[in-house]
Amino acid sequence: MIDDNLVKTTLRQHMMLTGRRVSPALVAAFGVLLVTVIALFTAPYLGMADNGDFFRNIYSNGLYFSLPDYDSKYFGYFIKHYGIYQYYNENGATLDSSQSLFIKLAIGLNKLMFSSTVFDIRFQAAIYTVLYVAAVYLLIEAVTCKMSRKQGMIIAVLAVFVFGDTGYTAYFNSFYSESVVMIMMIFVFASWLLIYRKRYNDYALLGLFVLSSIILTTSKQQNAPVGMIIAVLGISLAWVRRDRLFRSLTLVSMALLMCAGIATYLNISKEFVNINQYHAMTRGVLKESSNPETTLKSFGIDEQYAILKGSIYYEQYGTVDVNSPILQKDFYSRYGFGSILKNYLTHPDQLSSILNVAARSAFSIKPAAMGNYEESAGKAFRAQSHFFTAYSLIKQKLAPKTFGFILLWMAVVIGLYAPSCVKAVRARDMRGLQRMVLILASMAVGLSGIFVSIIGAGDADISKHEFLFTLSFDLVSFMLTSSVIGRKVSPGRQRTASTAGQYPEVQEGVSA
């Protein structure tokens, strides 16, 4: 006769073991997947309207605008169907970007499963979604691997709330490079954190870290400094292991990443140099100057160009021909990134003003100017979806809009993690030091997004240009919040060493 108590005990143990197989990382990944599928792949489909930038990425990859009235949809409506060139494509690459790899892969899948003449952008969104879910899984695994199940599940729900926000995922149904930037930045963050946690194979994680960093750096010309920043701070990874092979691979990888950053900068096309340079002066230096004539004189530029203050390169009926040889000779050639930076440094009031302008847009995940719906959905022109956007709305409304807050946030985060950093330095624990190095790298990458934007292009399209900062802010803040939630549990609640080894539940000490 079977003992009822034995059956109940066995079932209870089985349920406990089965339940523990569903890790917080899996819960977070599934939650993000579910929300993203509902938002992007069920009607009404959500995406991002074209602000005029899509042509940079689609023509050279074999696509074209198939709607006869496409221009009337700018900023207002999301378009999901494009034409596929059937014969000769005379369009060369407007810019070199790693984003082309994903567009070409999506076109290949589209031809295999849907059509050889019509491209449905949701094939691209599907690729991005798979990669994004994988990145979120690794991130939550890195954050929760030494926490209790309860703590891990709280963080998993928080992850869905933050990273499932459609302010982020709506980019997948567009040709903006922000999709690649977001996915690769999370892979970089997660792989670096996993190396610190000593999870999985260090060589595999190093490979993921380097590949993601290179794709991130080359995805957008604005990201050239990103590769250089990660390469410099990533050198510290060479000392997390003692074997010579790992150190050699790490140093070679960081040198390769540095080269990728330099090559991305040198490869910026002349067209985009002029556009950004024009805005850097008219929408930056002159806009913040109380006496534009005097400011122009300090650059050796004729004072009459003060009339360009606040103007935009794309104005249909502009004051001057922005591509004229005269402007090239007497305006563009008189200043550059270095001279603009020098001007801001010698005029702290102007620098403070432009930094506050940047801060006002630094916490917006998606630009307010672009619509999310197809015209067939019956929504107003430029209408934006509010489906699963609680986090982005709260962040945009509550975050203080000053650069001083950004500095305060950085100081608080560094201060909270400083004790564990000091402890790692004293113990000569290079692996334990990686968490602080990762935080510093993420902050530096985020700040580069702000400074490159304002010095390189003023306040033109600034909310989209600062996407890298808002993502870095979310990643660092998410890790800090997770550290607070996962603080070390009391000894009385810890499991035995053997059980903890099988089901890691005890978070290491966190100075938070």
Side-chain angles (χ1 to χ4, degrees):
M1 188 173 179
I2 300 176
D3 189 337
D4 288 344
N5 290 330
L6 178 61
V7 172
K8 292 178 180 179
T9 302
T10 304
L11 287 173
R12 189 180 300 112
Q13 291 176 346
H14 175 74
M15 290 174 65
M16 290 176 65
L17 291 173
T18 302
R20 294 194 186 284
R21 292 193 190 108
V22 182
S23 66
L26 192 59
V27 170
F30 179 77
V32 170
L33 175 63
L34 180 62
V35 173
T36 304
V37 167
I38 293 173
L40 306 187
F41 301 97
T42 62
Y45 307 107
L46 301 182
M48 295 285 283
D50 184 2
N51 70 345
D53 286 349
F54 284 10
F55 80 94
R56 300 177 183 179
N57 290 312
I58 74 167
Y59 285 140
S60 60
N61 287 302
L63 300 176
Y64 64 91
F65 303 113
S66 55
L67 284 180
D69 60 341
Y70 186 89
D71 290 355
S72 66
K73 308 297 189 294
Y74 281 137
F75 293 99
Y77 294 112
F78 151 58
I79 307 296
K80 69 172 182 286
H81 288 153
Y82 298 83
I84 301 176
Y85 279 111
Q86 297 301 295
Y87 303 105
Y88 177 68
N89 180 10
E90 63 182 3
N91 298 286
T94 306
L95 55 84
D96 294 319
S97 170
S98 56
Q99 183 184 359
S100 295
L101 299 173
F102 302 97
I103 296 175
K104 290 183 182 297
L105 177 58
I107 293 173
L109 287 176
N110 185 95
K111 289 181 177 179
L112 182 65
M113 303 176 66
F114 178 58
S115 171
S116 61
T117 60
V118 178
F119 176 70
D120 191 321
I121 200 171
R122 288 173 295 177
F123 281 95
Q124 176 190 266
I127 294 171
Y128 285 148
T129 299
V130 171
L131 291 173
Y132 188 57
V133 169
V136 170
Y137 177 89
L138 290 178
L139 175 64
I140 306 310
E141 178 67 16
V143 170
T144 65
C145 64
K146 295 185 179 181
M147 293 184 184
S148 70
R149 181 174 176 76
K150 181 179 179 181
Q151 292 167 330
M153 288 303 176
I154 293 174
I155 291 171
V157 173
L158 179 63
V160 176
F161 179 68
V162 175
F163 300 109
D165 194 291
T166 54
Y168 277 132
T169 57
Y171 276 107
F172 296 169
N173 267 335
S174 78
F175 290 108
Y176 297 118
S177 58
E178 276 70 19
S179 299
V180 179
V181 170
M182 175 170 60
I183 294 167
M184 294 305 142
M185 183 64 185
I186 295 178
F187 269 129
V188 169
F189 198 92
S191 57
W192 204 334
L193 195 56
L194 284 166
I195 291 175
Y196 154 67
R197 295 291 195 191
K198 207 171 183 179
R199 296 284 290 179
Y200 307 125
N201 181 279
D202 285 339
Y203 287 93
L205 291 173
L206 177 64
L208 177 62
F209 170 76
V210 174
L211 179 62
S212 302
S213 298
I214 291 176
I215 295 175
L216 170 63
T217 302
T218 56
S219 64
K220 197 173 185 178
Q221 293 170 332
Q222 180 188 344
N223 290 350
V226 173
M228 304 176 196
I229 292 170
I230 296 178
V232 171
L233 294 177
I235 292 176
S236 63
L237 289 169
W239 286 271
V240 299
R241 292 175 64 105
R242 294 183 178 180
D243 49 297
R244 187 173 299 176
L245 177 60
F246 186 85
R247 291 185 176 181
S248 299
L249 286 174
T250 302
L251 294 176
V252 170
S253 298
M254 294 307 107
L256 180 63
L257 185 53
M258 176 65 75
C259 291
I262 296 173
T264 300
Y265 175 77
L266 295 176
N267 203 36
I268 298 176
S269 66
K270 183 64 177 177
E271 177 187 357
F272 296 120
V273 168
N274 281 355
I275 295 172
N276 292 334
Q277 193 174 0
Y278 184 87
H279 289 149
M281 180 60 71
T282 64
R283 302 292 304 179
V285 175
L286 294 182
K287 187 177 180 181
E288 298 303 322
S289 174
S290 57
N291 192 329
E293 288 82 5
T294 302
T295 299
L296 285 171
K297 191 175 180 180
S298 69
F299 282 93
I301 301 174
D302 194 308
E303 298 174 19
Q304 67 178 331
Y305 287 107
I307 197 173
L308 298 179
K309 177 178 179 178
S311 64
I312 295 179
Y313 186 91
Y314 298 106
E315 288 179 357
Q316 186 174 4
Y317 304 106
T319 307
V320 297
D321 179 3
V322 294
N323 293 311
S324 67
I326 294 177
L327 210 63
Q328 185 66 48
K329 176 185 175 182
D330 299 334
F331 191 70
Y332 294 127
S333 63
R334 301 300 177 91
Y335 65 96
F337 190 92
S339 57
I340 289 178
L341 176 60
K342 179 182 177 181
N343 176 79
Y344 281 128
L345 292 178
T346 54
H347 296 83
D349 56 330
Q350 293 182 26
L351 178 60
S352 175
S353 178
I354 193 71
L355 285 174
N356 283 328
V357 169
R360 285 195 289 273
S361 302
F363 300 96
S364 300
I365 295 177
K366 62 179 179 180
M370 271 88 89
N372 294 138
Y373 293 100
E374 293 181 277
E375 187 173 12
S376 60
K379 302 291 184 178
F381 192 80
R382 292 193 178 186
Q384 292 196 326
S385 168
H386 296 294
F387 171 72
F388 214 87
T389 57
Y391 173 71
S392 56
L393 291 174
I394 291 172
K395 178 182 177 183
Q396 186 172 0
K397 288 187 178 297
L398 297 185
K401 306 299 190 297
T402 65
F403 192 73
F405 169 74
I406 294 176
L407 295 177
L408 178 62
W409 166 75
M410 292 172 59
V412 169
V413 173
I414 293 173
L416 291 174
Y417 281 110
S420 60
C421 178
V422 172
K423 184 178 179 181
V425 170
R426 289 176 177 173
R428 296 182 179 180
D429 177 14
M430 285 303 296
R431 193 180 293 268
L433 191 62
Q434 291 309 306
R435 182 170 58 176
M436 178 59 84
V437 179
L438 171 59
I439 289 171
L440 294 176
S442 300
M443 289 179 172
V445 165
L447 286 178
S448 75
I450 291 180
F451 282 97
V452 169
S453 296
I454 61 175
I455 297 175
D459 68 352
D461 204 13
I462 195 167
S463 60
K464 198 162 76 68
H465 288 167
E466 292 182 315
F467 180 83
L468 194 55
F469 171 80
T470 195
L471 178 60
S472 298
F473 176 87
D474 285 348
L475 285 170
V476 173
S477 298
F478 177 78
M479 189 171 78
L480 176 62
T481 304
S482 300
S483 297
V484 173
I485 294 173
R487 295 187 68 172
K488 191 172 182 180
V489 297
S490 61
R493 295 176 58 191
Q494 293 183 10
R495 291 182 173 269
T496 62
S498 60
T499 306
Q502 187 175 2
Y503 303 111
E505 292 193 340
V506 180
Q507 164 75 354
E508 59 194 15
V510 176
S511 299

